[in-house]
Amino acid sequence: MLLGQNFRFGFYSCPPEERMKAIKRAGFDSVMFWWGSEFDRTDAPKEVRFKLAKKEGLEVSTVHFPSTNAHWLWFPGDAGRVYAGQIVEAVEDCARYGIRNLVMHTTRQLITQEPGPYGLENFKCVLDAAQREGVVIALENTRFLRYNQYIYDNFSSKYLGFCFDTGHANCYTPDEDPLEQFSEYLVTTHIHDNYGKNGSPDGKIAPSGHLDLHNLMGDGNIDFDAIFKRLKKLNVLEFNLESYCFEHSKYWGLSMDEFLKISFMKLKKTLSI
């Protein structure tokens, strides 16, 4: 079992080397990366991050493909093919570095067109590469579960998986059950909290209108005891915190070490139920 912390947890003014050391000091044995270049200025290039993780003895078993253009998966022509090619490059990166799971979104916010054959054609290129390289493509639950289901209905492979995101399930699909719907594909997790459709404890919309706050466990209304009981029954072996220390967080103002230590202890305590 791996207890992981997403590398982008806040404290971005702190050098990447120090953040990686702090993750290790807190007790985590794994770190999860954003496998893109958008945050290189604060986080360093992904190749550097990987070396830093290995230097600290941290496993890197799951990385996240950038979601900015996730809707391109369903585009015909060059746009769809180029996007699929970008994911294939990430798959090849994962194989080169020994990373087992590549998480990806199947939609982008509210703008994604309906799922269709162009998406299947593009995804086939991705899955073919995953099977060739021995890397699992883990589809994450976001706003619209039917896109994930459409892919699962059309492909069968041990290299097609599912990443269960607790926060997305709570705020985007509270009347659905992605963990039950996609349980047979479950390979990894994103663990974070929020206040569901209410946005905040007082029922007001969250800062900047966001519901997907990515708060630390306990800073929201998710019943993690119940969720972790289900996860353990499904024998998932990766528990990755995807929580951040932002200004809206009740943990804002803690030091980096304090925040990470609390994060690790909350995760470990909930796993012991």
Side-chain angles (χ1 to χ4, degrees):
M1 184 180 293
L2 292 175
L3 305 187
Q5 168 65 55
N6 185 38
F7 190 63
R8 290 193 58 76
F9 61 88
F11 303 92
Y12 303 123
S13 62
C14 186
E17 298 92 333
E18 294 305 314
R19 273 184 277 157
M20 199 72 73
K21 290 178 180 178
I23 291 171
K24 180 66 175 180
R25 278 198 303 271
F28 294 100
D29 49 29
S30 179
V31 63
M32 184 172 63
F33 293 149
W34 183 265
W35 206 250
S37 59
E38 296 94 319
F39 309 114
D40 284 3
R41 185 178 62 82
T42 57
D43 293 359
K46 53 185 179 291
E47 298 84 1
V48 174
R49 276 177 265 143
F50 186 85
K51 290 179 181 178
L52 291 174
K54 288 299 161 181
K55 182 179 179 181
E56 296 302 323
L58 290 165
E59 289 290 326
V60 183
S61 60
T62 295
V63 297
H64 198 313
F65 186 77
S67 57
T68 307
N69 298 315
H71 57 306
W72 288 1
L73 177 67
W74 306 99
F75 280 11
D78 289 343
R81 283 194 294 270
V82 168
Y83 184 69
Q86 293 170 351
I87 306 175
V88 168
E89 289 179 7
V91 167
E92 293 169 347
D93 283 345
C94 288
R96 187 178 307 116
Y97 287 101
I99 300 167
R100 174 147 179 84
N101 301 313
L102 178 65
V103 174
M104 63 173 283
H105 290 188
T106 59
T107 60
R108 182 190 172 207
Q109 300 176 353
L110 300 172
I111 65 176
T112 306
Q113 64 195 58
E114 286 299 307
Y118 298 123
L120 297 182
E121 181 180 332
N122 296 327
F123 189 78
K124 183 178 185 302
C125 296
V126 173
L127 189 57
D128 285 349
Q131 293 175 147
R132 181 176 66 248
E133 301 292 345
V135 174
V136 176
I137 301 296
L139 307 181
E140 183 177 347
N141 57 298
T142 51
R143 285 174 171 83
F144 307 112
L145 304 185
R146 68 180 184 277
Y147 290 81
N148 297 46
Q149 188 65 62
Y150 186 73
I151 291 177
Y152 292 133
D153 286 345
N154 283 279
F155 295 98
S156 177
S157 172
K158 67 178 182 180
Y159 295 103
L160 177 57
F162 170 52
C163 172
F164 176 58
D165 188 297
T166 62
H168 292 169
N170 191 52
C171 69
Y172 292 144
T173 58
D175 299 322
E176 300 177 81
D177 190 349
L179 185 56
E180 172 66 24
Q181 187 172 344
F182 307 132
S183 61
E184 65 183 289
Y185 304 99
L186 182 65
V187 294
T188 190
T189 57
H190 288 171
I191 309 295
H192 54 101
D193 210 345
N194 59 51
Y195 292 93
K197 288 186 174 181
N198 289 331
S200 63
D202 57 10
K204 297 179 180 178
I205 294 298
S208 303
H210 293 306
L211 301 176
D212 185 21
L213 296 174
H214 285 259
N215 286 345
L216 182 56
M217 298 166 65
D219 193 359
N221 61 14
I222 297 177
D223 183 351
F224 282 103
D225 287 353
I227 286 177
F228 273 54
K229 286 178 181 177
R230 296 178 66 189
L231 289 173
K232 289 169 71 176
K233 286 182 179 178
L234 292 170
N235 297 315
V236 66
L237 298 178
E238 292 190 15
F239 295 86
N240 294 306
L241 291 183
E242 203 185 28
S243 44
Y244 310 143
C245 190
F246 287 154
E247 290 186 12
H248 66 257
S249 167
K250 69 181 182 182
Y251 298 100
W252 182 252
L254 294 180
S255 70
M256 178 170 62
D257 281 306
E258 289 171 332
F259 176 75
L260 287 173
K261 192 64 178 178
I262 290 174
S263 300
F264 179 74
M265 294 309 297
K266 280 180 173 289
L267 179 59
K268 190 173 181 180
K269 182 179 179 181
T270 309
L271 271 170
S272 69
I273 61 172

